[in-house]
């Protein structure tokens, strides 16, 4: 089967779920508003500039999972999905996914955002396969640490290689859709790289290499 791989934030979504989750926590008073927002904004700018320390960011972003009960986290996540995520899923994104589904392709989302935030978003697209940064759990509680390698930059390629091995799949005929220059390692690994509403750096690279450029969002 052909593998169709989708980045999530600013690709299938017209926004960044990781950043929006932080904004949601601030708005709900779940975290120290001013300090948390400043850090959330700083990390997001680092990400866009290609200088994000993924482990530092994950320690920051996973603290609220560590510091709250699972019951509260699940309630907040349902509210977050309804208020922040569903409004930024465009018809064009759904149509793109359905085009590959109708072609019989294997669908996979790969994202640096943690699995707690992204697993219900993947379900919204009807995509069963998700590679996300995994928050570590001990005795049913989040520890605030990352389990294994974050799926970020080269880590996406490494995690995908493991997934391919486990699922007896390969990259023959594969597609990958992404908005970010941070995803260059994986864009270079597939047969059909597609830049979706690309950032400035990726836009330039895509034009130089004659990669397809797709506008899913306004």
């Amino acid at each position: 089967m052909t593998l169709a791989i989708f980045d999530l934030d600013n690709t299938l979504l017209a926004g960044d779920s990781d950043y929006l989750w932080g904004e949601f926590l601030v708005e709900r008073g779940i975290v120290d508003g001013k300090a948390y927002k400043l850090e959330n904004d700083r990390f997001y700018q680092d990400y866009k500039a290609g200088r994000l320390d993924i482990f530092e960011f994950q320690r920051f972003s996973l603290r609220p999972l560590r510091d709250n009960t699972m019951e509260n986290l699940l309630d907040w996540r349902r509210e977050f999905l309804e208020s922040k995520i569903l409004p930024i899923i465009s018809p064009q994104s759904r149509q793109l996914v359905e085009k590959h589904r109708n072609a019989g392709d294997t669908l996979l989302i790969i994202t640096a955002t943690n699995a707690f935030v992204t697993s219900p978003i993947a379900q919204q697209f009807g995509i069963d396969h998700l590679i996300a940064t995994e928050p570590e759990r001990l005795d049913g509680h989040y520890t605030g640490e990352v389990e294994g390698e974050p799926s970020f930059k080269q880590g996406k390629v490494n995690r995908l290689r493991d997934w391919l091995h486990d699922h007896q799949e390969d990259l023959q005929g594969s597609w990958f859709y992404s908005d970010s220059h941070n995803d260059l390692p994986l864009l270079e690994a597939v047969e059909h790289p597609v830049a979706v509403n690309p950032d400035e750096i990726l836009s330039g690279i895509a034009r130089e290499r004659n990669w397809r450029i797709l506008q899913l969002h306004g």
Side-chain angles (χ1 to χ4, degrees):
M1 287 187 180
T2 297
L3 191 59
I5 310 167
F6 306 91
D7 176 50
L8 184 63
D9 298 312
N10 295 309
T11 301
L12 287 183
L13 300 178
D16 187 293
S17 61
D18 227 347
Y19 179 77
L20 290 172
W21 172 246
E23 290 278 282
F24 173 81
L25 297 176
V26 169
E27 291 168 10
R28 293 284 271 100
I30 296 162
V31 294
D32 178 3
K34 185 176 181 181
Y36 196 93
K37 179 171 174 51
L38 283 172
E39 284 294 271
N40 199 37
D41 289 347
R42 177 176 71 83
F43 283 121
Y44 192 44
Q45 293 305 314
D46 285 351
Y47 168 78
K48 290 193 289 186
R51 59 172 181 264
L52 178 67
D53 181 328
I54 189 63
F55 288 99
E56 181 189 12
F57 171 67
Q58 292 297 340
R59 283 191 292 271
F60 164 79
S61 68
L62 296 178
R63 280 203 311 264
L65 302 189
R66 178 197 66 190
D67 294 343
N68 292 281
T69 67
M70 185 63 71
E71 181 181 9
N72 282 340
L73 289 168
L74 293 174
D75 284 344
W76 294 332
R77 188 175 68 174
R78 281 190 289 270
E79 183 182 344
F80 168 71
L81 187 68
E82 291 289 333
S83 65
K84 298 291 188 182
I85 298 302
L86 294 185
I88 61 171
I89 298 178
S90 70
Q92 293 87 349
S93 291
R94 292 193 184 277
Q95 289 164 10
L96 175 63
V97 170
E98 291 310 307
K99 182 185 80 169
H100 281 283
R101 193 192 316 277
N102 292 336
D105 299 338
T106 300
L107 309 180
L108 169 66
I109 288 174
I110 187 163
T111 176
T113 302
N114 71 75
F116 175 80
V117 168
T118 55
S119 57
I121 304 175
Q123 291 170 13
Q124 284 294 318
F125 286 96
I127 295 178
D128 296 329
H129 300 295
L130 171 69
I131 297 174
T133 297
E134 294 292 339
E136 182 184 64
R137 294 178 70 176
L138 186 63
D139 298 327
H141 300 284
Y142 289 110
T143 67
E145 300 295 328
V146 173
E147 181 179 329
E149 183 174 10
S151 48
F152 180 63
K153 291 189 172 180
Q154 181 62 33
K156 283 192 176 181
V157 177
N158 298 340
R159 292 281 306 278
L160 177 61
R161 285 175 179 157
D162 292 340
W163 186 93
L164 292 170
H165 178 267
D166 292 343
H167 291 81
Q168 291 80 51
E169 294 274 6
D170 59 42
L171 291 178
Q172 183 175 353
S174 57
W175 296 76
F176 179 44
Y177 296 85
S178 177
D179 71 292
S180 175
H181 67 279
N182 288 295
D183 282 337
L184 271 175
L186 186 48
L187 285 163
E188 293 171 340
V190 300
E191 285 197 18
H192 303 289
V194 184
V196 178
N197 290 82
D199 62 36
E200 185 175 352
I201 296 174
L202 180 56
S203 179
I205 292 171
R207 294 180 193 284
E208 287 175 6
R209 301 185 185 183
N210 293 316
W211 290 351
R212 184 180 175 194
I213 296 176
L214 183 63
Q215 300 295 327
L216 288 183
H217 319 296

